[in-house]
Amino acid sequence: MASRDPLSDRAIQDALAELDGWRHEDDKLKKTFELGDFRAAISFIVRMAFFAEEMNHHPELENVYNTVSIALTTHDAGGTVTQMDVDLAKKIESFSWV
């Protein structure tokens, strides 16, 4: 299976078992992070941006003060969850200091 092929519901559930706090909703992997303050939230976004750009896979982001909400979906795959989304979620978890 290519990294841009849609994942089955079972594959998504298996991936979520390894991604604490992530959920599958609206054909996206989603998680909200609460950081210490606005600077920490922006630093988190910047760090994540380097991983996303390296993968050429860009999340949907929302930031309000110290809260960052992330939604991952693969637009090239019709707006479904693919292995690329899972891989980016894992990278985000690897550096998350929340």
Side-chain angles (χ1 to χ4, degrees), residues 46-90:
V46 169
R47 189 159 184 191
M48 179 183 43
F50 282 95
F51 286 111
E53 187 63 20
E54 189 177 281
M55 294 176 67
N56 193 29
H57 192 53
H58 306 99
E60 297 173 11
L61 300 170
E62 181 180 318
N63 168 238
V64 178
Y65 183 58
N66 69 328
T67 303
V68 177
S69 297
I70 302 170
L72 303 175
T73 191
T74 303
H75 299 285
D76 293 350
T80 60
V81 175
T82 68
Q83 189 60 47
M84 288 185 68
D85 301 304
V86 172
D87 292 345
L88 184 51
K90 287 180 179 179

Side-chain angles (χ1 to χ4, degrees), residues 6-80:
L7 293 178
S8 68
D9 287 339
R10 178 65 187 177
I12 294 168
Q13 292 309 311
D14 289 347
L16 288 175
E18 299 176 19
L19 292 167
D20 188 41
W22 289 83
R23 64 194 186 283
H24 179 226
E25 113 189 352
D26 302 324
D27 285 326
K28 298 174 184 179
L29 296 183
K30 296 181 176 183
K31 184 170 181 178
T32 299
F33 294 84
E34 192 170 320
L35 292 298
D37 57 23
F38 182 70
R39 286 183 186 177
I42 295 302
S43 296
F44 176 80
I45 290 169
V46 169
R47 189 159 184 191
M48 179 183 43
F50 282 95
F51 286 111
E53 187 63 20
E54 189 177 281
M55 294 176 67
N56 193 29
H57 192 53
H58 306 99
E60 297 173 11
L61 300 170
E62 181 180 318
N63 168 238
V64 178
Y65 183 58
N66 69 328
T67 303
V68 177
S69 297
I70 302 170
L72 303 175
T73 191
T74 303
H75 299 285
D76 293 350
T80 60

